[in-house]
Structures are given as C-alpha cells and as structure tokens.
PDB file of all heavy atoms in Angstrom:
ATOM      1  N   ARG A   1     -10.056  -6.222  -7.370  1.00 98.00           N
ATOM      2  CA  ARG A   1     -10.662  -4.967  -6.888  1.00 98.00           C
ATOM      3  C   ARG A   1     -11.136  -5.106  -5.453  1.00 98.00           C
ATOM      4  O   ARG A   1     -10.950  -4.199  -4.634  1.00 98.00           O
ATOM      5  CB  ARG A   1     -11.826  -4.547  -7.782  1.00 98.00           C
ATOM      6  CG  ARG A   1     -11.419  -4.087  -9.164  1.00 98.00           C
ATOM      7  CD  ARG A   1     -12.541  -3.307  -9.849  1.00 98.00           C
ATOM      8  NE  ARG A   1     -13.819  -3.978  -9.729  1.00 98.00           N
ATOM      9  CZ  ARG A   1     -14.231  -4.962 -10.537  1.00 98.00           C
ATOM     10  NH1 ARG A   1     -13.444  -5.384 -11.518  1.00 98.00           N
ATOM     11  NH2 ARG A   1     -15.419  -5.516 -10.371  1.00 98.00           N
ATOM     12  N   GLU A   2     -11.737  -6.236  -5.140  1.00 98.00           N
ATOM     13  CA  GLU A   2     -12.218  -6.447  -3.767  1.00 98.00           C
ATOM     14  C   GLU A   2     -11.053  -6.496  -2.783  1.00 98.00           C
ATOM     15  O   GLU A   2     -11.168  -5.991  -1.651  1.00 98.00           O
ATOM     16  CB  GLU A   2     -13.034  -7.736  -3.701  1.00 98.00           C
ATOM     17  CG  GLU A   2     -14.379  -7.617  -4.406  1.00 98.00           C
ATOM     18  CD  GLU A   2     -15.048  -8.963  -4.641  1.00 98.00           C
ATOM     19  OE1 GLU A   2     -14.472 -10.001  -4.212  1.00 98.00           O
ATOM     20  OE2 GLU A   2     -16.135  -8.984  -5.265  1.00 98.00           O
ATOM     21  N   ALA A   3      -9.942  -7.095  -3.178  1.00 98.00           N
ATOM     22  CA  ALA A   3      -8.769  -7.144  -2.301  1.00 98.00           C
ATOM     23  C   ALA A   3      -8.218  -5.742  -2.063  1.00 98.00           C
ATOM     24  O   ALA A   3      -7.803  -5.399  -0.947  1.00 98.00           O
ATOM     25  CB  ALA A   3      -7.690  -8.036  -2.908  1.00 98.00           C
ATOM     26  N   VAL A   4      -8.201  -4.923  -3.103  1.00 98.00           N
ATOM     27  CA  VAL A   4      -7.761  -3.535  -2.949  1.00 98.00           C
ATOM     28  C   VAL A   4      -8.721  -2.777  -2.044  1.00 98.00           C
ATOM     29  O   VAL A   4      -8.303  -2.064  -1.119  1.00 98.00           O
ATOM     30  CB  VAL A   4      -7.640  -2.847  -4.324  1.00 98.00           C
ATOM     31  CG1 VAL A   4      -7.433  -1.343  -4.156  1.00 98.00           C
ATOM     32  CG2 VAL A   4      -6.495  -3.457  -5.130  1.00 98.00           C
ATOM     33  N   GLU A   5     -10.008  -2.929  -2.298  1.00 98.00           N
ATOM     34  CA  GLU A   5     -11.009  -2.234  -1.479  1.00 98.00           C
ATOM     35  C   GLU A   5     -10.898  -2.642  -0.016  1.00 98.00           C
ATOM     36  O   GLU A   5     -11.074  -1.817   0.889  1.00 98.00           O
ATOM     37  CB  GLU A   5     -12.413  -2.536  -2.013  1.00 98.00           C
ATOM     38  CG  GLU A   5     -12.705  -1.897  -3.362  1.00 98.00           C
ATOM     39  CD  GLU A   5     -13.950  -2.456  -4.015  1.00 98.00           C
ATOM     40  OE1 GLU A   5     -14.608  -3.338  -3.407  1.00 98.00           O
ATOM     41  OE2 GLU A   5     -14.263  -2.040  -5.153  1.00 98.00           O
ATOM     42  N   ALA A   6     -10.579  -3.908   0.231  1.00 98.00           N
ATOM     43  CA  ALA A   6     -10.485  -4.404   1.602  1.00 98.00           C
ATOM     44  C   ALA A   6      -9.340  -3.761   2.379  1.00 98.00           C
ATOM     45  O   ALA A   6      -9.364  -3.737   3.612  1.00 98.00           O
ATOM     46  CB  ALA A   6     -10.325  -5.925   1.603  1.00 98.00           C
ATOM     47  N   THR A   7      -8.339  -3.235   1.677  1.00 98.00           N
ATOM     48  CA  THR A   7      -7.239  -2.562   2.375  1.00 98.00           C
ATOM     49  C   THR A   7      -7.682  -1.231   2.962  1.00 98.00           C
ATOM     50  O   THR A   7      -7.050  -0.719   3.893  1.00 98.00           O
ATOM     51  CB  THR A   7      -6.048  -2.309   1.437  1.00 98.00           C
ATOM     52  OG1 THR A   7      -6.385  -1.289   0.474  1.00 98.00           O
ATOM     53  CG2 THR A   7      -5.607  -3.582   0.738  1.00 98.00           C
ATOM     54  N   GLY A   8      -8.706  -0.627   2.392  1.00 98.00           N
ATOM     55  CA  GLY A   8      -9.157   0.693   2.839  1.00 98.00           C
ATOM     56  C   GLY A   8      -8.225   1.818   2.440  1.00 98.00           C
ATOM     57  O   GLY A   8      -8.376   2.950   2.921  1.00 98.00           O
ATOM     58  N   ARG A   9      -7.288   1.538   1.538  1.00 98.00           N
ATOM     59  CA  ARG A   9      -6.304   2.548   1.131  1.00 98.00           C
ATOM     60  C   ARG A   9      -6.706   3.169  -0.201  1.00 98.00           C
ATOM     61  O   ARG A   9      -7.264   2.493  -1.068  1.00 98.00           O
ATOM     62  CB  ARG A   9      -4.901   1.928   1.020  1.00 98.00           C
ATOM     63  CG  ARG A   9      -4.496   1.074   2.240  1.00 98.00           C
ATOM     64  CD  ARG A   9      -4.495   1.879   3.521  1.00 98.00           C
ATOM     65  NE  ARG A   9      -4.157   1.101   4.689  1.00 98.00           N
ATOM     66  CZ  ARG A   9      -2.914   0.917   5.152  1.00 98.00           C
ATOM     67  NH1 ARG A   9      -1.890   1.426   4.514  1.00 98.00           N
ATOM     68  NH2 ARG A   9      -2.716   0.229   6.256  1.00 98.00           N
ATOM     69  N   ARG A  10      -6.355   4.469  -0.379  1.00 97.00           N
ATOM     70  CA  ARG A  10      -6.709   5.181  -1.612  1.00 97.00           C
ATOM     71  C   ARG A  10      -5.511   5.465  -2.510  1.00 97.00           C
ATOM     72  O   ARG A  10      -5.678   5.854  -3.663  1.00 97.00           O
ATOM     73  CB  ARG A  10      -7.398   6.508  -1.272  1.00 97.00           C
ATOM     74  CG  ARG A  10      -8.655   6.381  -0.447  1.00 97.00           C
ATOM     75  CD  ARG A  10      -9.712   5.560  -1.124  1.00 97.00           C
ATOM     76  NE  ARG A  10     -10.129   6.092  -2.421  1.00 97.00           N
ATOM     77  CZ  ARG A  10     -11.017   5.493  -3.218  1.00 97.00           C
ATOM     78  NH1 ARG A  10     -11.548   4.332  -2.865  1.00 97.00           N
ATOM     79  NH2 ARG A  10     -11.355   6.034  -4.378  1.00 97.00           N
ATOM     80  N   LYS A  11      -4.314   5.300  -1.988  1.00 98.00           N
ATOM     81  CA  LYS A  11      -3.108   5.500  -2.804  1.00 98.00           C
ATOM     82  C   LYS A  11      -2.517   4.126  -3.115  1.00 98.00           C
ATOM     83  O   LYS A  11      -2.107   3.400  -2.208  1.00 98.00           O
ATOM     84  CB  LYS A  11      -2.101   6.389  -2.081  1.00 98.00           C
ATOM     85  CG  LYS A  11      -2.557   7.845  -2.006  1.00 98.00           C
ATOM     86  CD  LYS A  11      -1.468   8.751  -1.465  1.00 98.00           C
ATOM     87  CE  LYS A  11      -1.903  10.199  -1.512  1.00 98.00           C
ATOM     88  NZ  LYS A  11      -1.978  10.733  -2.881  1.00 98.00           N
ATOM     89  N   LEU A  12      -2.495   3.777  -4.382  1.00 98.00           N
ATOM     90  CA  LEU A  12      -2.104   2.439  -4.806  1.00 98.00           C
ATOM     91  C   LEU A  12      -0.784   2.503  -5.570  1.00 98.00           C
ATOM     92  O   LEU A  12      -0.675   3.222  -6.569  1.00 98.00           O
ATOM     93  CB  LEU A  12      -3.186   1.827  -5.700  1.00 98.00           C
ATOM     94  CG  LEU A  12      -4.607   1.805  -5.103  1.00 98.00           C
ATOM     95  CD1 LEU A  12      -5.572   1.158  -6.091  1.00 98.00           C
ATOM     96  CD2 LEU A  12      -4.634   1.087  -3.765  1.00 98.00           C
ATOM     97  N   ILE A  13       0.190   1.758  -5.094  1.00 98.00           N
ATOM     98  CA  ILE A  13       1.507   1.698  -5.719  1.00 98.00           C
ATOM     99  C   ILE A  13       1.579   0.402  -6.528  1.00 98.00           C
ATOM    100  O   ILE A  13       1.599  -0.692  -5.963  1.00 98.00           O
ATOM    101  CB  ILE A  13       2.617   1.738  -4.662  1.00 98.00           C
ATOM    102  CG1 ILE A  13       2.511   3.022  -3.829  1.00 98.00           C
ATOM    103  CG2 ILE A  13       3.982   1.634  -5.323  1.00 98.00           C
ATOM    104  CD1 ILE A  13       3.433   3.031  -2.615  1.00 98.00           C
ATOM    105  N   PHE A  14       1.607   0.537  -7.841  1.00 98.00           N
ATOM    106  CA  PHE A  14       1.605  -0.617  -8.735  1.00 98.00           C
ATOM    107  C   PHE A  14       3.013  -0.926  -9.226  1.00 98.00           C
ATOM    108  O   PHE A  14       3.844  -0.037  -9.403  1.00 98.00           O
ATOM    109  CB  PHE A  14       0.736  -0.350  -9.968  1.00 98.00           C
ATOM    110  CG  PHE A  14      -0.734  -0.312  -9.707  1.00 98.00           C
ATOM    111  CD1 PHE A  14      -1.369   0.872  -9.332  1.00 98.00           C
ATOM    112  CD2 PHE A  14      -1.512  -1.453  -9.840  1.00 98.00           C
ATOM    113  CE1 PHE A  14      -2.737   0.921  -9.105  1.00 98.00           C
ATOM    114  CE2 PHE A  14      -2.889  -1.416  -9.616  1.00 98.00           C
ATOM    115  CZ  PHE A  14      -3.494  -0.224  -9.246  1.00 98.00           C
ATOM    116  N   ALA A  15       3.253  -2.207  -9.470  1.00 98.00           N
ATOM    117  CA  ALA A  15       4.425  -2.654 -10.216  1.00 98.00           C
ATOM    118  C   ALA A  15       4.007  -3.906 -10.959  1.00 98.00           C
ATOM    119  O   ALA A  15       3.182  -4.678 -10.465  1.00 98.00           O
ATOM    120  CB  ALA A  15       5.602  -2.936  -9.298  1.00 98.00           C
ATOM    121  N   GLY A  16       4.559  -4.110 -12.160  1.00 98.00           N
ATOM    122  CA  GLY A  16       4.135  -5.282 -12.911  1.00 98.00           C
ATOM    123  C   GLY A  16       5.026  -5.584 -14.097  1.00 98.00           C
ATOM    124  O   GLY A  16       5.806  -4.753 -14.544  1.00 98.00           O
ATOM    125  N   VAL A  17       4.871  -6.785 -14.589  1.00 98.00           N
ATOM    126  CA  VAL A  17       5.530  -7.243 -15.814  1.00 98.00           C
ATOM    127  C   VAL A  17       4.415  -7.751 -16.733  1.00 98.00           C
ATOM    128  O   VAL A  17       3.711  -8.703 -16.395  1.00 98.00           O
ATOM    129  CB  VAL A  17       6.514  -8.390 -15.524  1.00 98.00           C
ATOM    130  CG1 VAL A  17       7.221  -8.810 -16.817  1.00 98.00           C
ATOM    131  CG2 VAL A  17       7.525  -8.002 -14.465  1.00 98.00           C
ATOM    132  N   SER A  18       4.163  -7.037 -17.835  1.00 97.00           N
ATOM    133  CA  SER A  18       4.944  -5.962 -18.394  1.00 97.00           C
ATOM    134  C   SER A  18       4.446  -4.592 -17.935  1.00 97.00           C
ATOM    135  O   SER A  18       3.278  -4.437 -17.576  1.00 97.00           O
ATOM    136  CB  SER A  18       4.892  -6.017 -19.927  1.00 97.00           C
ATOM    137  OG  SER A  18       3.557  -5.781 -20.381  1.00 97.00           O
ATOM    138  N   LEU A  19       5.362  -3.617 -17.992  1.00 98.00           N
ATOM    139  CA  LEU A  19       5.060  -2.272 -17.530  1.00 98.00           C
ATOM    140  C   LEU A  19       3.831  -1.681 -18.197  1.00 98.00           C
ATOM    141  O   LEU A  19       2.934  -1.146 -17.531  1.00 98.00           O
ATOM    142  CB  LEU A  19       6.276  -1.367 -17.791  1.00 98.00           C
ATOM    143  CG  LEU A  19       6.066   0.142 -17.577  1.00 98.00           C
ATOM    144  CD1 LEU A  19       5.903   0.451 -16.108  1.00 98.00           C
ATOM    145  CD2 LEU A  19       7.213   0.937 -18.175  1.00 98.00           C
ATOM    146  N   GLU A  20       3.769  -1.775 -19.524  1.00 98.00           N
ATOM    147  CA  GLU A  20       2.727  -1.065 -20.282  1.00 98.00           C
ATOM    148  C   GLU A  20       1.376  -1.768 -20.228  1.00 98.00           C
ATOM    149  O   GLU A  20       0.360  -1.182 -20.601  1.00 98.00           O
ATOM    150  CB  GLU A  20       3.182  -0.846 -21.728  1.00 98.00           C
ATOM    151  CG  GLU A  20       3.053  -2.036 -22.656  1.00 98.00           C
ATOM    152  CD  GLU A  20       4.083  -3.124 -22.398  1.00 98.00           C
ATOM    153  OE1 GLU A  20       5.002  -2.943 -21.568  1.00 98.00           O
ATOM    154  OE2 GLU A  20       3.970  -4.194 -23.048  1.00 98.00           O
ATOM    155  N   VAL A  21       1.348  -3.012 -19.758  1.00 98.00           N
ATOM    156  CA  VAL A  21       0.086  -3.748 -19.622  1.00 98.00           C
ATOM    157  C   VAL A  21      -0.190  -4.045 -18.158  1.00 98.00           C
ATOM    158  O   VAL A  21      -1.148  -3.542 -17.572  1.00 98.00           O
ATOM    159  CB  VAL A  21       0.113  -5.055 -20.455  1.00 98.00           C
ATOM    160  CG1 VAL A  21      -1.163  -5.868 -20.195  1.00 98.00           C
ATOM    161  CG2 VAL A  21       0.223  -4.729 -21.940  1.00 98.00           C
ATOM    162  N   CYS A  22       0.645  -4.858 -17.544  1.00 98.00           N
ATOM    163  CA  CYS A  22       0.371  -5.352 -16.199  1.00 98.00           C
ATOM    164  C   CYS A  22       0.359  -4.241 -15.149  1.00 98.00           C
ATOM    165  O   CYS A  22      -0.436  -4.280 -14.204  1.00 98.00           O
ATOM    166  CB  CYS A  22       1.392  -6.411 -15.810  1.00 98.00           C
ATOM    167  SG  CYS A  22       1.416  -7.821 -16.932  1.00 98.00           S
ATOM    168  N   ALA A  23       1.244  -3.264 -15.290  1.00 98.00           N
ATOM    169  CA  ALA A  23       1.258  -2.138 -14.355  1.00 98.00           C
ATOM    170  C   ALA A  23       0.368  -1.004 -14.840  1.00 98.00           C
ATOM    171  O   ALA A  23      -0.443  -0.466 -14.078  1.00 98.00           O
ATOM    172  CB  ALA A  23       2.688  -1.644 -14.142  1.00 98.00           C
ATOM    173  N   ALA A  24       0.511  -0.626 -16.110  1.00 98.00           N
ATOM    174  CA  ALA A  24      -0.164   0.574 -16.606  1.00 98.00           C
ATOM    175  C   ALA A  24      -1.687   0.429 -16.665  1.00 98.00           C
ATOM    176  O   ALA A  24      -2.412   1.337 -16.233  1.00 98.00           O
ATOM    177  CB  ALA A  24       0.371   0.945 -17.986  1.00 98.00           C
ATOM    178  N   LEU A  25      -2.174  -0.682 -17.188  1.00 98.00           N
ATOM    179  CA  LEU A  25      -3.625  -0.786 -17.383  1.00 98.00           C
ATOM    180  C   LEU A  25      -4.401  -0.747 -16.064  1.00 98.00           C
ATOM    181  O   LEU A  25      -5.386  -0.004 -15.953  1.00 98.00           O
ATOM    182  CB  LEU A  25      -3.966  -2.033 -18.202  1.00 98.00           C
ATOM    183  CG  LEU A  25      -3.445  -2.047 -19.651  1.00 98.00           C
ATOM    184  CD1 LEU A  25      -3.988  -3.274 -20.390  1.00 98.00           C
ATOM    185  CD2 LEU A  25      -3.794  -0.763 -20.393  1.00 98.00           C
ATOM    186  N   PRO A  26      -4.023  -1.515 -15.031  1.00 98.00           N
ATOM    187  CA  PRO A  26      -4.768  -1.383 -13.774  1.00 98.00           C
ATOM    188  C   PRO A  26      -4.534  -0.046 -13.086  1.00 98.00           C
ATOM    189  O   PRO A  26      -5.432   0.463 -12.412  1.00 98.00           O
ATOM    190  CB  PRO A  26      -4.250  -2.547 -12.925  1.00 98.00           C
ATOM    191  CG  PRO A  26      -2.947  -2.925 -13.522  1.00 98.00           C
ATOM    192  CD  PRO A  26      -3.065  -2.626 -14.982  1.00 98.00           C
ATOM    193  N   ALA A  27      -3.361   0.550 -13.250  1.00 98.00           N
ATOM    194  CA  ALA A  27      -3.117   1.867 -12.655  1.00 98.00           C
ATOM    195  C   ALA A  27      -4.022   2.915 -13.295  1.00 98.00           C
ATOM    196  O   ALA A  27      -4.589   3.769 -12.606  1.00 98.00           O
ATOM    197  CB  ALA A  27      -1.652   2.261 -12.813  1.00 98.00           C
ATOM    198  N   ILE A  28      -4.173   2.842 -14.611  1.00 98.00           N
ATOM    199  CA  ILE A  28      -5.067   3.777 -15.307  1.00 98.00           C
ATOM    200  C   ILE A  28      -6.519   3.525 -14.894  1.00 98.00           C
ATOM    201  O   ILE A  28      -7.284   4.464 -14.640  1.00 98.00           O
ATOM    202  CB  ILE A  28      -4.889   3.641 -16.829  1.00 98.00           C
ATOM    203  CG1 ILE A  28      -3.498   4.147 -17.244  1.00 98.00           C
ATOM    204  CG2 ILE A  28      -5.973   4.392 -17.581  1.00 98.00           C
ATOM    205  CD1 ILE A  28      -3.108   3.795 -18.670  1.00 98.00           C
ATOM    206  N   ALA A  29      -6.905   2.262 -14.813  1.00 98.00           N
ATOM    207  CA  ALA A  29      -8.276   1.936 -14.410  1.00 98.00           C
ATOM    208  C   ALA A  29      -8.554   2.361 -12.977  1.00 98.00           C
ATOM    209  O   ALA A  29      -9.649   2.852 -12.659  1.00 98.00           O
ATOM    210  CB  ALA A  29      -8.518   0.434 -14.568  1.00 98.00           C
ATOM    211  N   ALA A  30      -7.582   2.188 -12.096  1.00 98.00           N
ATOM    212  CA  ALA A  30      -7.752   2.633 -10.707  1.00 98.00           C
ATOM    213  C   ALA A  30      -7.887   4.148 -10.635  1.00 98.00           C
ATOM    214  O   ALA A  30      -8.675   4.674  -9.841  1.00 98.00           O
ATOM    215  CB  ALA A  30      -6.565   2.162  -9.861  1.00 98.00           C
ATOM    216  N   THR A  31      -7.128   4.851 -11.452  1.00 97.00           N
ATOM    217  CA  THR A  31      -7.245   6.309 -11.521  1.00 97.00           C
ATOM    218  C   THR A  31      -8.654   6.701 -11.940  1.00 97.00           C
ATOM    219  O   THR A  31      -9.270   7.601 -11.347  1.00 97.00           O
ATOM    220  CB  THR A  31      -6.211   6.883 -12.510  1.00 97.00           C
ATOM    221  OG1 THR A  31      -4.893   6.561 -12.057  1.00 97.00           O
ATOM    222  CG2 THR A  31      -6.339   8.391 -12.624  1.00 97.00           C
ATOM    223  N   ALA A  32      -9.182   6.021 -12.950  1.00 97.00           N
ATOM    224  CA  ALA A  32     -10.542   6.305 -13.406  1.00 97.00           C
ATOM    225  C   ALA A  32     -11.576   6.022 -12.330  1.00 97.00           C
ATOM    226  O   ALA A  32     -12.632   6.657 -12.275  1.00 97.00           O
ATOM    227  CB  ALA A  32     -10.855   5.487 -14.655  1.00 97.00           C
ATOM    228  N   ALA A  33     -11.259   5.074 -11.426  1.00 97.00           N
ATOM    229  CA  ALA A  33     -12.174   4.711 -10.346  1.00 97.00           C
ATOM    230  C   ALA A  33     -12.025   5.621  -9.123  1.00 97.00           C
ATOM    231  O   ALA A  33     -12.700   5.400  -8.112  1.00 97.00           O
ATOM    232  CB  ALA A  33     -11.942   3.254  -9.941  1.00 97.00           C
ATOM    233  N   GLY A  34     -11.135   6.609  -9.210  1.00 96.00           N
ATOM    234  CA  GLY A  34     -11.019   7.576  -8.125  1.00 96.00           C
ATOM    235  C   GLY A  34      -9.862   7.352  -7.175  1.00 96.00           C
ATOM    236  O   GLY A  34      -9.713   8.093  -6.194  1.00 96.00           O
ATOM    237  N   TYR A  35      -9.034   6.354  -7.430  1.00 97.00           N
ATOM    238  CA  TYR A  35      -7.849   6.129  -6.609  1.00 97.00           C
ATOM    239  C   TYR A  35      -6.696   6.993  -7.100  1.00 97.00           C
ATOM    240  O   TYR A  35      -6.693   7.469  -8.245  1.00 97.00           O
ATOM    241  CB  TYR A  35      -7.429   4.660  -6.671  1.00 97.00           C
ATOM    242  CG  TYR A  35      -8.366   3.708  -5.975  1.00 97.00           C
ATOM    243  CD1 TYR A  35      -9.496   3.220  -6.621  1.00 97.00           C
ATOM    244  CD2 TYR A  35      -8.125   3.284  -4.670  1.00 97.00           C
ATOM    245  CE1 TYR A  35     -10.368   2.335  -5.989  1.00 97.00           C
ATOM    246  CE2 TYR A  35      -8.979   2.394  -4.029  1.00 97.00           C
ATOM    247  CZ  TYR A  35     -10.100   1.931  -4.694  1.00 97.00           C
ATOM    248  OH  TYR A  35     -10.955   1.057  -4.078  1.00 97.00           O
ATOM    249  N   ASP A  36      -5.697   7.172  -6.256  1.00 97.00           N
ATOM    250  CA  ASP A  36      -4.443   7.798  -6.659  1.00 97.00           C
ATOM    251  C   ASP A  36      -3.474   6.678  -6.995  1.00 97.00           C
ATOM    252  O   ASP A  36      -3.094   5.894  -6.117  1.00 97.00           O
ATOM    253  CB  ASP A  36      -3.858   8.650  -5.534  1.00 97.00           C
ATOM    254  CG  ASP A  36      -4.770   9.805  -5.143  1.00 97.00           C
ATOM    255  OD1 ASP A  36      -5.688  10.125  -5.913  1.00 97.00           O
ATOM    256  OD2 ASP A  36      -4.551  10.385  -4.071  1.00 97.00           O
ATOM    257  N   ALA A  37      -3.082   6.581  -8.261  1.00 98.00           N
ATOM    258  CA  ALA A  37      -2.253   5.473  -8.714  1.00 98.00           C
ATOM    259  C   ALA A  37      -0.820   5.925  -8.979  1.00 98.00           C
ATOM    260  O   ALA A  37      -0.588   6.976  -9.584  1.00 98.00           O
ATOM    261  CB  ALA A  37      -2.841   4.860  -9.976  1.00 98.00           C
ATOM    262  N   TYR A  38       0.109   5.117  -8.514  1.00 98.00           N
ATOM    263  CA  TYR A  38       1.534   5.337  -8.705  1.00 98.00           C
ATOM    264  C   TYR A  38       2.106   4.058  -9.311  1.00 98.00           C
ATOM    265  O   TYR A  38       1.626   2.962  -9.031  1.00 98.00           O
ATOM    266  CB  TYR A  38       2.235   5.604  -7.372  1.00 98.00           C
ATOM    267  CG  TYR A  38       1.695   6.795  -6.615  1.00 98.00           C
ATOM    268  CD1 TYR A  38       0.476   6.724  -5.937  1.00 98.00           C
ATOM    269  CD2 TYR A  38       2.400   7.991  -6.575  1.00 98.00           C
ATOM    270  CE1 TYR A  38      -0.034   7.814  -5.245  1.00 98.00           C
ATOM    271  CE2 TYR A  38       1.908   9.087  -5.872  1.00 98.00           C
ATOM    272  CZ  TYR A  38       0.687   8.996  -5.216  1.00 98.00           C
ATOM    273  OH  TYR A  38       0.200  10.074  -4.539  1.00 98.00           O
ATOM    274  N   VAL A  39       3.151   4.181 -10.112  1.00 98.00           N
ATOM    275  CA  VAL A  39       3.820   2.999 -10.651  1.00 98.00           C
ATOM    276  C   VAL A  39       5.311   3.093 -10.355  1.00 98.00           C
ATOM    277  O   VAL A  39       5.959   4.100 -10.662  1.00 98.00           O
ATOM    278  CB  VAL A  39       3.580   2.848 -12.166  1.00 98.00           C
ATOM    279  CG1 VAL A  39       4.499   1.777 -12.748  1.00 98.00           C
ATOM    280  CG2 VAL A  39       2.128   2.467 -12.433  1.00 98.00           C
ATOM    281  N   ALA A  40       5.831   2.042  -9.744  1.00 98.00           N
ATOM    282  CA  ALA A  40       7.262   1.931  -9.490  1.00 98.00           C
ATOM    283  C   ALA A  40       7.909   1.350 -10.746  1.00 98.00           C
ATOM    284  O   ALA A  40       7.843   0.145 -10.989  1.00 98.00           O
ATOM    285  CB  ALA A  40       7.523   1.037  -8.284  1.00 98.00           C
ATOM    286  N   VAL A  41       8.526   2.218 -11.540  1.00 98.00           N
ATOM    287  CA  VAL A  41       8.972   1.781 -12.858  1.00 98.00           C
ATOM    288  C   VAL A  41      10.161   0.831 -12.786  1.00 98.00           C
ATOM    289  O   VAL A  41      10.353   0.019 -13.697  1.00 98.00           O
ATOM    290  CB  VAL A  41       9.302   2.993 -13.758  1.00 98.00           C
ATOM    291  CG1 VAL A  41       8.050   3.820 -14.013  1.00 98.00           C
ATOM    292  CG2 VAL A  41      10.397   3.847 -13.167  1.00 98.00           C
ATOM    293  N   ASP A  42      10.956   0.904 -11.712  1.00 97.00           N
ATOM    294  CA  ASP A  42      12.098  -0.005 -11.627  1.00 97.00           C
ATOM    295  C   ASP A  42      11.761  -1.299 -10.895  1.00 97.00           C
ATOM    296  O   ASP A  42      12.632  -2.154 -10.707  1.00 97.00           O
ATOM    297  CB  ASP A  42      13.307   0.681 -10.994  1.00 97.00           C
ATOM    298  CG  ASP A  42      13.022   1.225  -9.600  1.00 97.00           C
ATOM    299  OD1 ASP A  42      11.846   1.240  -9.187  1.00 97.00           O
ATOM    300  OD2 ASP A  42      13.976   1.648  -8.928  1.00 97.00           O
ATOM    301  N   ALA A  43      10.503  -1.460 -10.496  1.00 98.00           N
ATOM    302  CA  ALA A  43      10.010  -2.750 -10.020  1.00 98.00           C
ATOM    303  C   ALA A  43       9.059  -3.346 -11.058  1.00 98.00           C
ATOM    304  O   ALA A  43       8.308  -4.271 -10.785  1.00 98.00           O
ATOM    305  CB  ALA A  43       9.307  -2.607  -8.675  1.00 98.00           C
TER     306      ALA A  43
END
C-alpha cells in the first residue's frame, strides 16, 4: 500500500496469478479504499 501511495496515482492497473485472488482481491480492496482499479485479464 505504501508503494502504491508513493506513486501518487489514483488509477491502478492490476495483473496477477491467480486472477481471482492475486489480481481480484487487491483490486477490490483498492476500489474500497477509493482508487480506480482495473485488471488486465490477459496479463
């Protein structure tokens, strides 16, 4: 979270393995924290 905050960016593009855990869970949590979360499904 601190590394993300240090970027100063509000739109976060996530990719992860596995999709439903590694990408989805932090993307959902970031959304709840007020960020705009995107997931690149083919990455």
Side-chain angles (χ1 to χ4, degrees):
R1 290 197 313 277
E2 289 166 2
V4 170
E5 290 167 1
T7 70
R9 312 300 178 89
R10 301 300 301 177
K11 289 188 175 290
L12 306 181
I13 301 171
F14 289 88
V17 182
S18 65
L19 170 70
E20 79 287 354
V21 175
C22 301
L25 295 186
I28 292 168
T31 299
Y35 290 84
D36 298 344
Y38 302 75
V39 169
V41 296
D42 58 350

